[in-house]
Amino acid sequence: MKIKFDYLENVLDFSNNVFSLEIENKNYFYRCVRDLNFISNGDVLDNFYCFNSDNSELVIAGKIMVVSDYFNFDELFKCYSNPFIKYISTFCNDEINNKFTTDYKKIKKDFTQLIKEVDLPILINDEFNLELFIKLLKPRFLIDNNLLNNLFLCIDLEKIFKLNKILVFVNLKQYLNQDELIEFYKYALYNQVKILLIDSQSYGPTLEYEHKLIIDKNLDEIML
């Protein structure tokens, strides 16, 4: 897969799933991040193009996740909650489903006794819904104190649910050292999840597994 901004000369090639875009020009950095956020929100931009390996156009509006807040993964992972509930419900066999149904009937019976004390016309849903039952338990993903582990979880979730074509990480290199970045790249490659790192400064030569485009303050482009 390849993506192209019409205000950049070079194409960003994700043939190895990992691409690093380092933009020293602050106006262009802001413009790229802004456009990626627009695309993440479902907008189709005239200055942005995406292509498959056979050069056929690919529409990825709403299929990009832009990560810039590394201190609030709970909020970031909310988009996976409903897919997770549907996913986990597929593991419930007839025995488990029947048990949950029986438990629901007991709860419904107790609740029915309770609302008799209320002088209001009230209806209760007689039909058991497994997904609503799971949602009632409020399952959530465990956030780690280690940033790299949370990034691994981000890759795991995308591998399972495939909500996005690309995961974009803004200024991630400010928070990880080179060894951690290489481990992150390796994990994304192994799980076949495409990632784009976009940073507001240059970090020099490429790391292992990384393709890189550097745009300096004068808008000169260097592909590494």
Side-chain angles (χ1 to χ4, degrees):
M1 189 173 71
K2 302 175 183 179
I3 64 175
K4 177 73 169 68
F5 298 91
D6 66 1
Y7 46 87
L8 301 182
E9 294 179 6
N10 284 276
V11 172
L12 281 57
D13 189 346
F14 290 85
S15 57
N16 76 334
N17 290 352
V18 177
F19 200 96
S20 175
L21 180 59
E22 298 176 351
I23 309 176
E24 295 181 320
N25 184 288
K26 295 185 182 299
N27 288 332
Y28 265 54
F29 171 77
Y30 174 80
R31 185 177 183 182
C32 283
V33 174
R34 180 200 61 185
D35 286 350
L36 288 168
N37 271 295
F38 283 151
I39 297 164
S40 175
N41 292 329
D43 295 335
V44 178
L45 304 185
D46 293 336
N47 60 5
F48 178 88
Y49 310 92
C50 183
F51 303 93
N52 281 314
S53 56
D54 61 358
N55 289 326
S56 60
E57 189 169 0
L58 180 65
V59 178
I60 60 173
K63 295 293 184 179
I64 291 179
M65 174 184 282
V66 179
V67 184
S68 58
D69 183 357
Y70 303 105
F71 304 95
N72 194 13
F73 280 94
D74 275 325
E75 187 67 27
L76 177 69
F77 291 154
K78 280 183 178 179
C79 65
Y80 295 104
S81 294
N82 286 336
F84 170 76
I85 290 171
K86 293 181 182 295
Y87 176 72
I88 200 66
S89 66
T90 64
F91 291 90
C92 294
N93 56 31
D94 290 340
E95 181 181 354
I96 295 175
N97 193 66
N98 289 336
K99 185 179 185 307
F100 284 164
T101 302
T102 301
D103 291 341
Y104 174 76
K105 288 179 179 179
K106 291 178 181 179
I107 295 171
K108 175 180 173 291
K109 181 179 179 181
D110 291 340
F111 186 71
T112 301
Q113 292 299 318
L114 177 64
I115 63 174
K116 285 181 179 179
E117 304 297 326
V118 181
D119 188 21
L120 292 171
I122 298 174
L123 290 176
I124 301 175
N125 187 11
D126 288 327
E127 185 178 350
F128 173 72
N129 185 299
L130 179 59
E131 291 184 12
L132 289 178
F133 187 72
I134 296 172
K135 187 178 293 187
L136 182 66
L137 300 175
K138 296 184 178 179
R140 63 186 183 90
F141 305 109
L142 183 62
I143 307 302
D144 198 271
N145 290 325
N146 181 277
L147 172 58
L148 186 58
N149 288 337
N150 291 329
L151 295 171
F152 287 159
L153 177 56
C154 195
I155 297 296
D156 291 336
L157 292 172
E158 192 55 44
K159 177 189 176 183
I160 294 171
F161 301 115
K162 297 178 173 57
L163 298 187
N164 302 284
K165 298 293 184 182
I166 304 173
L167 303 183
V168 180
F169 298 91
V170 181
N171 280 331
L172 179 59
K173 292 181 180 181
Q174 292 183 2
Y175 301 96
L176 298 181
N177 61 40
Q178 289 189 359
D179 290 339
E180 290 171 327
L181 281 168
I182 291 171
E183 285 301 308
F184 181 48
Y185 293 167
K186 188 190 303 183
Y187 199 73
L189 284 166
Y190 177 78
N191 289 286
Q192 298 183 334
V193 174
K194 292 178 173 56
I195 62 173
L196 168 64
L197 276 72
I198 178 167
D199 287 89
S200 57
Q201 67 185 84
S202 174
Y203 289 86
T206 58
L207 299 177
E208 190 176 2
Y209 310 114
E210 181 183 66
H211 284 176
K212 179 185 288 191
L213 175 63
I214 299 174
I215 302 173
D216 67 17
K217 293 180 181 179
N218 299 317
L219 301 180
D220 292 326
E221 300 186 15
I222 307 167
M223 183 70 77
L224 300 177

